[in-house]
Amino acid sequence: MSKREPAAFILVLAAALAIRLFLLAVPGAPKTDVFYYDTQAVADLLRGANPYGHIYVVPPAVATPGAARVFAYLPGVFAFLVPAGAAMDIRVGLILADVVAAISLYAIRGKYSVWSAAIFLLLPPTILFSTWFPDNSMPAIAFLAVAIAVESRGKRWASAALWGLAAASSQLIWLVFPLYLYRSYKLRRLWDAAVSALVAAATVVPFLLWAPGTFFYDTTLFQFEREALSLVTSGPFGINLNLSIQGIASTLGFSVPLVVRAGVVVLVLAVAMRYVKGSLGSLLLASTLFLTVTLFVLPEDLYLAYFELPLFMLLAWFALRGESAPSPREAPEAPPGLKT
């Protein structure tokens, strides 16, 4: 990289952070229910109570119907939310996740890394989703970002562990996890996949054992039992467009069965697998395309915030283009049994 690039990145990072902190300080209630769920869930966890199954108090203007007892997020989000919530405001944790993701994009050794990081930091939806319209996608994106950055430097085992943390933080990572496993299989890196699965399980299982039925309902079943919104409804941005297949169908007076939507997703996954090669970039591009299509097909309701993850994956793929090879000190680790 040229000597100007670090200075440019620091300037962009400082400006993006200042914008976020300014919006955080502007008086006014957050425009989504996520803030209230996160704040109360963190308080529960800090006093030793189970956040899954808690009765949440949310202002009617932003409340999700039928979700008073539902914490729909995976426990990996607490890695960012608990420290911030204990000290000040859970949105500080989301802003920190933004910063981690941006630094990770910059750390990828590609000639477009600075551009990718700048776009991510300064894009208005990314700014709003950690401040006025808080969304819990960012912790998983932060873990995934570091996983991509460290793998680009040849650190396979650290990357595998971080993939596991990302999977323990967002259901959207579950959707692309088969593509990650397929690449691991093609590269004969089954130990990597095992490490990812073990880390994800170590994060999730304690909460699952705490209240199995409640946890499973909150994090999985609720997403498919909630009532689908019509194509056009009022939302945090004034108008919410539910462009999912189910949203369009409900507006027309019928419903598309989950088994049909799941079948379409499996077919799209099979197509996406054909584009997963050995490179990390191929995995990210295939995941971006697969996840974007899936978001229109699978959920009952489609929200703009869902596209944070595929957007980040696209930016990470862009950052990886022109990536320089790892130095000898950072060469990829040899598989077990082949180290000399």
Side-chain angles (χ1 to χ4, degrees):
M1 295 182 178
S2 70
K3 292 181 179 180
R4 294 180 180 178
E5 288 183 340
F9 172 72
I10 292 172
L11 182 62
V12 169
L13 180 61
L17 188 57
I19 294 171
R20 285 163 168 80
L21 293 177
F22 170 77
L23 292 176
L24 204 63
V26 172
K31 306 300 183 183
T32 68
D33 58 3
V34 174
F35 172 81
Y36 303 96
Y37 283 105
D38 286 351
T39 301
Q40 294 169 50
V42 167
D44 279 348
L45 202 57
L46 289 174
R47 62 185 176 86
N50 189 353
Y52 297 95
H54 170 87
I55 299 177
Y56 289 90
V57 179
V58 180
V62 295
T64 299
R69 289 182 175 269
V70 177
F71 185 72
Y73 311 101
L74 291 176
V77 300
F78 291 124
F80 283 90
L81 298 183
V82 168
M88 52 196 84
D89 186 320
I90 60 94
R91 290 174 292 177
V92 174
L94 300 180
I95 292 173
L96 176 60
D98 275 354
V99 171
V100 169
I103 292 175
S104 299
L105 283 174
Y106 174 72
I108 295 172
R109 298 182 173 189
K111 60 183 179 180
Y112 303 120
S113 296
V114 175
W115 284 103
S116 294
I119 292 170
F120 174 79
L121 284 169
L122 299 177
L123 205 63
T126 305
I127 296 171
L128 293 174
F129 288 146
S130 59
T131 53
W132 283 2
F133 303 95
D135 174 68
N136 278 348
S137 296
M138 275 315 305
I141 291 173
F143 287 129
L144 180 63
V146 184
I148 294 167
V150 297
E151 183 176 340
S152 74
R153 293 170 175 262
K155 310 299 183 182
R156 278 176 43 199
W157 304 117
S159 177
L162 287 157
W163 266 96
L165 287 172
S169 304
S170 173
Q171 292 91 333
L172 295 183
I173 299 290
W174 292 3
L175 293 174
V176 298
F177 210 67
L179 295 174
Y180 168 72
L181 296 178
Y182 180 63
R183 175 176 178 253
S184 299
Y185 168 76
K186 291 190 71 171
L187 294 176
R188 299 183 181 180
R189 294 181 178 178
L190 297 183
W191 281 110
D192 293 23
V195 168
S196 302
L198 286 172
V199 170
T203 307
V204 169
V205 166
F207 290 88
L208 175 63
L209 295 178
W210 202 344
T214 302
F215 180 86
F216 184 70
Y217 177 82
D218 285 11
T219 60
T220 306
L221 293 181
F222 172 73
Q223 302 297 332
F224 302 109
E225 290 187 359
R226 63 197 299 179
E227 183 179 354
L229 297 173
S230 299
L231 180 62
V232 181
T233 57
S234 60
F237 291 99
I239 294 179
N240 181 70
L241 293 177
N242 183 17
L243 294 174
S244 69
I245 286 179
Q246 194 70 316
I248 296 172
S250 66
T251 302
L252 297 176
F254 66 97
S255 176
V256 180
L258 177 59
V259 66
V260 174
R261 288 178 281 142
V264 172
V265 169
V266 170
L267 291 175
V268 177
L269 177 63
V271 173
M273 282 182 171
R274 300 187 60 179
Y275 294 93
V276 176
K277 310 299 181 183
S279 69
L280 180 56
S282 70
L283 170 64
L284 291 172
L285 187 58
S287 297
T288 299
L289 298 175
F290 166 69
L291 192 56
T292 300
V293 174
T294 297
L295 288 175
F296 285 100
V297 175
L298 192 58
E300 300 288 326
D301 301 323
L302 180 61
Y303 297 102
L304 181 62
Y306 291 176
F307 291 100
E308 268 195 295
L309 179 57
L311 170 65
F312 176 81
M313 287 181 162
L314 184 62
L315 290 173
W317 167 80
F318 185 58
L320 281 167
R321 299 192 67 186
E323 176 193 7
S324 59
S327 66
R329 285 188 309 169
E330 299 163 341
E333 301 168 71
L338 295 183
K339 294 183 179 180
T340 58

